[in-house]
Amino acid sequence: MADLTAPTTSGPRAAGAHEFDATKARSQGELVLRRFLRHKLAMTSLATLVLLIVMAYVGPVFWAFSYEDTSSGSYLAPSPDHPLGTTQVGKDLLALLMRGTQYSIQIGLLAALAATVLGVLLGALSGYLRGFVDSLVNRVVDLLLILPLIGVAAIVIRAISGAWFVVALTVAAFLWMQIARITRGETLSLSEREFVEAARASGAGTWRIILKHLVPNMVGSITVNATLTVATAVLTEAALSFLGLGVQIPDTSLGVIIGENYTQVMMRPWLFWAPFLVLVLISLTINFIGDGLRDAFDPRQTKVRA
Amino acid sequence: MRRARFVSAVALLSGAALVLSACGGGGGTGGDSDVAAMAVAKGQHDGNYTAPEVSDAGAISVSTDKPFTAYNNQTTDANSSYNNFALVQVQIGAFTLNGNNKVLLNKDVMDSVEETSTDPQTVTYKIKKGVTWSDGEPWDCDDFYLTWLAQSGKAKKPDGGTAFLAAGTSGYDLIESVECPDPQTVVTKYSSPYPDWKGLFNNGSITPAHILEQQTGIADITQLKPDGDPAELARAGEFWNTGWRGFKKDVMPASGPYMITDWQQNVSVTLERNPKWAGAKAGPSRITLKAIPDSVAQAQALENNENQVMSAAQPDINAADRLRGLSAQGVTYGAAPGLAFEHLDLNFARPLLAQEAVRKAFFQCVNREEIANKLIGSVEPDIKPLNSLLFFPQDDGYQDVYSDKTKGGAEAAKKTLQEAGWQQGSDGVFVKDGQRLRLSISHTDIPRRKQTVELIQGQCKDAGIEVEDNTDANFLSGRVDKGDYDIALFAWSGGPFKADKKPIYISGGSQNWQKLSSPKADEALEKAVTQTSQEAAIPYYQEADKALAETYGSLPLFQMPSMWAFRDLDRVYFQSYYGTLWNANEWQKKTS
Amino acid sequence: MIRYIIRRLLISIPVLLVGTFLSYVMVTSLGDPLSELRAKPGVTEADVQAAAHALGLDKPVLVRYWDWLTGFVQGDWGTSVALGTARADVYTMVTDALWVTVQLVIAAQVLAIILGVAVGVLAAVRQYSIFDYTATSLAFLMFSMPVFCVAILLKSYGIQLNNLLVSLGLDRWLTTAGPPTGGYTGDLGEVVFSYTGTFLLPTISLMLISFAAYSRFQRASMLETLHSDYVRTARAKGISQARVIFRHAFRNALIPVTTLAALSFGTLFTGAVLTETVFGWHGMGSLLVTAVRQFDPNILMGWLVVVAIAVVVFNLIADILYVFLDPRIRLG
């Protein structure tokens, strides 16, 4: 599933020696932005995603049915009242879908954020300090690569709780390793450079060097990976929830909705297709955005887009 | 896969003995009208059963929720009704049950069974001559003796522990002695009267004594008394407890129409005709019983003709819908009440629920019809709420003691609360003395339970009662028995004996976790359990049932139906203890 | 080489130990395997205690873990603890399930590699063609697709296809409830028929995402080699286009995909859990779900250790393949 998207990201890039120069960095940022804005597919995707998110969060305010309302009949077919029909207990599917989308997006964002922060910090630490810290981080990475996400997540979520943030953080615990490896690689090459040496000579501490000097120079690969991780996290969570091992009520997600309604795929196809398509739309647009970002940060790679 | 499918709602543990007289005719409903008639065995005549002559029906594949796990289903570790589903055709007994739980004497192997004395109660079993296990050894008194020795709980090891770890001892513990005057005669003497004696020595409970003798070196098991040599008893117990684990064909002979020829753990068990079977040759040449936990997947496999019979002890509306839609393809669907019922227990130890007005208002706002219809209406269209804690509608003595307690809906509930001094706050929720009327319902993570709570939330919201959903996968392991809940939603399986209900509902009972207390019910329950026959006990149970309802303490929701479907075959019925295979030897290809 | 392998395996052992210990503690803290017993009418606390004692559940977790570990290394993987399972042997359970899953994973992997490499090479050779764009879009779509939904759709439409076959007077082909219980019997034609009918849909559901990844990877590395100096030299020497592609570029371009494929076995396992669940195979997927539901530490431990070892082994294979394919790399 998910992890497969990770190896396609770029490896260490050659960083210019002057990248720590603030004015230069800003102009490079503008360049990246301009390139991204020109990327049609990515921009369309971004617009679609934003629209979807706005609908998920603002829609419920205007929609006639609350996700809690069970007063409608069982399994009503789509109608003007219920554009997507109702579920077994008589809930409006559109209302459920908006709420499920909120949760799926929240989970994806939180998981990606946590995985990125953890991956970047640990990766940079182990690449910069090397020695004991490096091998410790590597062992932890080994451990997590060995343990199957699905097994451990199932245990952790049952042991702690099925709240959305627990699920998100659990998923994150299995998604940071790739980011850490990439960050470590880039740190290894960056820390040999003069500007890091200079900072170290002027007495800057480890954290300062990592946060002020290393991370800003890796912003491209971090952003791209973080974006792709959102999609991975959304899909991973859906899979866990489908197995009944993920988000538990009162929280919900698109995976939960699919799990509850997939058996209707032949008899009442809308109950399956609606949440399914929203899920695919979310991960597809995020993947396109990530792709656009990669091109924008590193136009050299466009030719050999993997 | 949906989370539901992995969890059984209740322990579907079958007791060692079966409930007999309590269950009259439970009509099959929900499917074709002639499905109800399929509860009657073809070979039954005046309380007897003789396997009918049938023609070859070929290989049949049957699916059910859980896998077959053990040849000896009477040990604590192994006991599961899913084992009975296969063993009913493998280990014959003196009596069996038809689809309506009517007791039938197995005339293929028994000449007669009679109560030869009432003081002390003595039952004499006469076995037909020439009945053997599939390995050629006689099926006779030894086997009955071992069944009693192992399940009476009397045999002790040198360290004082129980030698045989039996799942249940009910009934067998009341038998004082089992004698074998000759191999074909079994004489059982009871220490105190036991009305349910026909529930003992049934299909699926008699394991081969000669195998145990061979494996343990004990020359004659009937010479080993429960108070005999503890070392020898420990040896016998050790084999009985563990020797039949896994699949070892040579120690697992059959005495019924079928024998086990293959077993893939967690996947399937295969039965083929027992060539030494005493009765008429069975119809299907081979029966494969497969485990498919997801009932929708079971329905799909039936639709795809990978299986010809599906059976689920857990009702599932999606699977039911699907199966009904297959009638054009020659699929027959059926549903019948099972042995478990869902209910809501209100915890008297919680200050809010200690107030009768709150309990009454909650009873009134819950609309059980809507819950039953939306959740299992498709499985069993004429489903009605269950209106008794102690009886099922099929039982003699069932009376409706709950309908008038739950009438009125939100309006009545509001009135009840207002009369007790509660006032509706600005958000519609009632408040009294600064306390909001907020109750949480605790349950395990089964979708049906989650949906039940969703529906109650909506229903009680209209009555100004805020209901919180407390889903906890571990609710039944460690919380419910500590009384750690406002309202508990779970199922009790209908135990074989009503006496089992006493600890649940009597004041201070060991399973009375909700701290319910009704002096009237206590008195009636005490009287009921000391009666000598079930008929005599009924009026007392009815009295207790009524008194319990008056407390507004525990609200029964509905009896959970089992459902099944089949194709290509003439008649299949889901027997509540034995599953669909109870009469598999009679199955015929559909003629049309 | 052998020393490297041994070193790698030795490093994995402490990692495995920590992993199993953490998992054991978590599983035992999850819940009580005896909950079903408690919910049975007439059961007393003494009954529950006796059952707990018989199953060894009354010992401290550390002791239980130690018992499990010492048993495990001696080949005794313990038994299931849930009531009604008759203390089934975990070793048999896990190895049976593993065999089912491994068959599926290998079938999917082989198919994914063949198709992925073929599509990747074609897309690279015909860069910016319609084929290339179609392959790229499809790959993105597959990346964004949840495996289980694909499986659900394939299963539902598979049954429809079967119904169509029956209405045409043919036999049902695709199965929805796992391999035939009696095994694959009959003449060669029948065996092939039932084998493909069993494997086709689960294999397709499982391979789609790997296929997408492999095709992208293959395309990228193929492009890289096609633009490399030695290929340009070969071309300049007048060697035919086909020869350049297959003799020179293709071989070198295979390296990254081979490594990726070996590394993805762990991921494929996770995918297989979902696919099996939908298609009702009694493999590692259903075993995991059962173990978690029944709070069964022994089954779960057996499961985790087996999967972890499989991942370690395949990672090692990836490293070794790398050396064989690319003489410039040496293992240290």
Side-chain angles (χ1 to χ4, degrees), chain A residues 65-71 90-91 95-96 99, chain B residues 454-455 457-458 461 467:
Chain A
F65 296 93
S66 131
Y67 67 89
E68 285 176 307
D69 189 345
T70 54
S71 61
K91 290 185 172 189
L96 285 178
R99 186 158 177 268
Chain B
E454 282 175 349
L455 288 169
Q457 281 175 324
K461 196 177 175 189
V467 174

Side-chain angles (χ1 to χ4, degrees), chain B residues 69 77 266 300 304 306 474 511, chain C residues 30 84 155 162 174 176-177:
Chain B
T69 60
D77 291 341
N266 284 331
Q300 287 176 321
N304 205 23
E306 283 165 78
N474 298 331
Q511 287 177 311
Chain C
L30 273 187
K155 183 177 175 181
N162 276 346
L174 303 164
T176 66

Side-chain angles (χ1 to χ4, degrees), chain B residues 189-324:
Chain B
K189 273 201 187 75
Y190 288 80
S191 53
S192 60
Y194 182 62
D196 267 335
W197 56 270
K198 284 184 180 177
L200 307 179
F201 304 109
N202 265 306
N203 281 19
S205 62
I206 302 179
T207 45
H210 67 277
I211 297 286
L212 182 131
E213 288 170 355
Q214 283 163 19
Q215 299 287 323
T216 56
I218 294 168
D220 181 358
I221 192 77
T222 59
Q223 297 308 308
L224 184 59
K225 301 297 170 199
D227 54 357
D229 176 11
E232 195 131 293
L233 285 167
R235 201 140 45 95
E238 178 62 22
F239 179 79
W240 192 83
N241 297 336
T242 64
W244 277 305
R245 281 182 193 160
F247 181 48
K248 288 161 249 165
K249 215 167 168 176
D250 47 331
V251 298
M252 300 182 169
S255 52
Y258 287 91
M259 55 188 191
I260 301 174
T261 53
D262 190 25
W263 174 26
Q264 290 175 272
Q265 213 167 45
N266 284 331
V267 182
S268 64
V269 59
T270 305
L271 308 178
E272 284 176 55
R273 288 191 195 115
N274 168 8
K276 298 268 171 66
W277 159 236
K281 195 168 121 178
S285 58
R286 189 174 69 232
I287 301 171
T288 312
L289 182 63
K290 299 184 198 168
I292 303 181
D294 179 340
S295 37
V296 174
Q298 282 199 53
Q300 287 176 321
L302 184 83
E303 177 180 5
N304 205 23
N305 207 12
E306 283 165 78
N307 301 325
Q308 287 72 47
V309 180
M310 68 76 68
S311 55
Q314 291 284 312
D316 184 296
I317 193 168
N318 293 313
D321 267 1
R322 205 177 183 105
L323 290 165
R324 260 173 227 288

Side-chain angles (χ1 to χ4, degrees), chain A residues 70 72-75 88-91 158 242-244 247-249 256 259-260 262-264 266-268, chain B residues 1-3 5-6 294 296 317-318 321-322 370 374-375 443 445 450-451 454-455 458 469 471 473:
Chain A
T70 54
S72 309
S74 243
Y75 286 138
Q88 183 182 346
V89 292
K91 290 185 172 189
R158 273 183 92 84
F242 170 71
L243 287 174
V247 177
Q248 308 289 332
I249 50 158
V256 171
E260 280 170 359
Y262 82 94
T263 52
Q264 296 293 333
M266 298 314 283
M267 294 174 68
R268 301 177 182 95
Chain B
M1 183 170 300
R2 277 167 44 163
R3 71 196 76 166
R5 314 280 157 59
F6 312 116
D294 179 340
V296 174
I317 193 168
N318 293 313
D321 267 1
R322 205 177 183 105
E370 188 191 8
K374 276 190 171 167
L375 298 189
H443 58 99
D445 55 346
K450 180 188 150 185
Q451 292 169 333
E454 282 175 349
L455 288 169
D469 183 331
T471 307

Side-chain angles (χ1 to χ4, degrees), chain B residues 96-111:
Chain B
T96 189
L97 299 172
N98 78 358
N100 294 328
N101 287 329
K102 182 179 159 57
V103 191
L104 302 173
L105 175 65
N106 273 322
K107 285 294 265 188
D108 287 315
V109 294
M110 303 302 296
D111 276 327

